[in-house]
């Protein structure tokens, strides 16, 4: 059986953590803002200037780098999160616009079959944007251009733009 140790032999007295003064912190912060890594010569110079052990300076730098990295990651995360939310909102707006345009196109096809007048709920007039490519930027072929003209004619209810139309294979073509 081991003999009981007296209270004086249990463990060495706990060292009290020495807090850095405001001046010491200020100098360390300025030094860190210039160089994130601590070179041995710089560590010895800082320790001497601050009246600290070189190991204390090295540990402060190590802890500061860890905190700095965490803060940087949090800032980057927030920026990415905001960008993601913006892209999601833009995607939703584009999906809504696509659904509206599909509905307009379906109504145009239906009205062109029935030969009546109709109107579109175009947001293009409201915000100045158009889903159609501009003339200088168009990659459509001639058949597609004719379909756009047909859609225009159907929207305006004027057969005089292309003359009388006849339907061939589900598409309106100028009558011969």
């Amino acid at each position: 059986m081991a003999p009981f140790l007296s209270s004086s032999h249990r463990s060495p007295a706990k060292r009290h953590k020495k807090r850095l003064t405001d001046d010491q912190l200020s100098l360390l912060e300025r030094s860190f803002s210039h160089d994130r890594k601590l070179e041995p010569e710089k560590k010895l110079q800082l320790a001497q200037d601050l009246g600290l052990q070189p190991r204390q300076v090295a540990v402060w730098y190590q802890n500061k780098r860890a905190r700095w990295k965490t803060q940087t990651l949090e800032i980057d995360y927030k920026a990415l999160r905001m960008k993601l939310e913006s892209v999601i909102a833009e995607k939703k707006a584009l999906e809504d616009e696509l659904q509206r345009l599909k509905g307009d196109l379906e109504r145009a096809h239906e009205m062109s079959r029935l030969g009546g007048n109709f109107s579109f709920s175009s947001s293009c007039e409201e915000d100045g944007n158009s889903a159609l490519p501009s003339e200088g930027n168009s990659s459509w072929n001639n058949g597609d251009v004719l379909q756009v003209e047909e859609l225009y004619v159907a929207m305006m209810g004027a057969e005089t733009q292309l003359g009388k139309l006849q339907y061939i294979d589900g598409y309106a073509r100028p009558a011969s």
Side-chain angles (χ1 to χ4, degrees):
M1 215 192 260
F4 290 101
L5 298 174
S6 66
S7 62
S8 63
H9 292 94
R10 284 191 188 157
S11 63
K14 289 187 178 183
R15 291 186 297 174
H16 292 286
K17 195 174 196 179
K18 182 180 175 188
R19 299 283 178 191
L20 300 175
T21 66
D22 290 340
D23 292 336
Q24 290 172 325
L25 281 174
S26 175
L27 183 59
L28 285 168
E29 291 285 349
R30 274 184 282 153
S31 174
F32 185 81
S33 69
H34 292 283
D35 293 314
R36 305 263 185 264
K37 297 285 184 176
L38 187 60
E39 299 296 328
E41 301 84 31
K42 181 76 171 173
K43 176 175 61 174
L44 292 173
Q45 182 64 40
L46 276 172
Q48 186 178 18
D49 292 348
L50 296 169
L52 300 172
Q53 294 295 319
R55 180 72 185 138
Q56 286 176 290
V57 173
V59 168
W60 184 91
Y61 254 78
Q62 186 177 14
N63 292 338
K64 179 65 176 180
R65 271 194 306 274
R67 286 190 306 271
W68 175 78
K69 184 177 180 181
T70 301
Q71 289 171 345
T72 303
L73 287 173
E74 287 174 0
I75 291 169
D76 291 347
Y77 172 79
K78 287 176 184 177
L80 285 173
R81 184 73 183 172
M82 288 175 60
K83 185 165 184 129
L84 174 64
E85 290 170 0
S86 171
V87 168
I88 288 171
E90 184 179 349
K91 178 182 180 250
K92 173 74 171 118
L94 288 171
E95 287 172 344
D96 292 347
E97 179 73 4
L98 177 63
Q99 290 303 315
R100 187 194 57 75
L101 289 172
K102 283 181 178 179
D104 287 351
L105 185 60
E106 182 62 33
R107 282 194 303 280
H109 281 292
E110 188 63 34
M111 294 305 291
S112 67
R113 287 187 199 119
L114 299 174
N117 289 336
F118 55 94
S119 63
F120 288 92
S121 59
S122 175
S123 66
C124 297
E125 295 170 1
E126 297 167 8
D127 62 14
N129 293 326
S130 173
L132 299 176
S134 65
E135 287 181 355
N137 193 11
S138 177
S139 62
W140 293 357
N141 61 35
N142 289 340
D144 292 334
V145 172
L146 182 59
Q147 290 176 0
V148 171
E149 291 171 355
E150 292 169 6
L151 181 59
Y152 176 77
V153 169
M155 288 171 44
M156 295 302 161
E159 292 182 342
T160 58
Q161 286 284 344
L162 294 174
K164 294 281 185 185
L165 299 177
Q166 63 181 0
Y167 289 92
I168 303 171
D169 298 327
Y171 292 101
R173 301 282 182 220
S176 326

